[in-house]
Amino acid sequence: HPSAEWKGSGTKNINGKKVGFLKLITPAIDTKIYNVMFFTDLNGQLLLCTFNCTEKSIAEWEITADEIMNSLKLKE
């Protein structure tokens, strides 16, 4: 997305699984949206999880979004 403002990306180990993540701000019609996307392999298929909120709510939700990502537990 050419108008996205990248806030971070990478991989981390969460509860024994390698998880990739992207954090970015994208434009919407009347505001900007903070997006967190994280993904991993689950039984040979892509598991994709997302979180978003308005840019003005980042201070309130950013820590919670990271906690959600870090709480990922998979039963394979």
Side-chain angles (χ1 to χ4, degrees):
H1 199 284
S3 58
E5 178 185 341
W6 288 90
K7 292 298 192 180
S9 64
T11 60
K12 57 181 6 184
N13 188 311
I14 301 174
N15 294 315
K17 277 302 260 190
K18 186 174 181 179
V19 177
F21 66 91
L22 307 169
K23 297 179 179 183
L24 61 150
I25 296 175
T26 55
I29 291 173
D30 59 350
T31 190
K32 292 183 178 180
I33 305 295
Y34 175 64
N35 301 276
V36 177
M37 294 175 262
F38 54 101
F39 46 91
T40 192
D41 170 85
L42 178 60
N43 299 323
Q45 297 184 338
L46 173 67
L47 172 65
L48 176 65
C49 305
T50 63
F51 173 90
N52 62 55
C53 66
T54 61
E55 183 181 40
K56 68 180 181 180
S57 299
I58 290 174
E60 180 181 354
W61 287 101
E62 186 172 24
I63 292 172
T64 301
D66 285 339
E67 288 172 345
I68 291 168
M69 178 171 55
N70 291 325
S71 72
L72 182 67
K73 292 181 185 173
L74 302 175
K75 292 183 180 182
E76 298 185 59

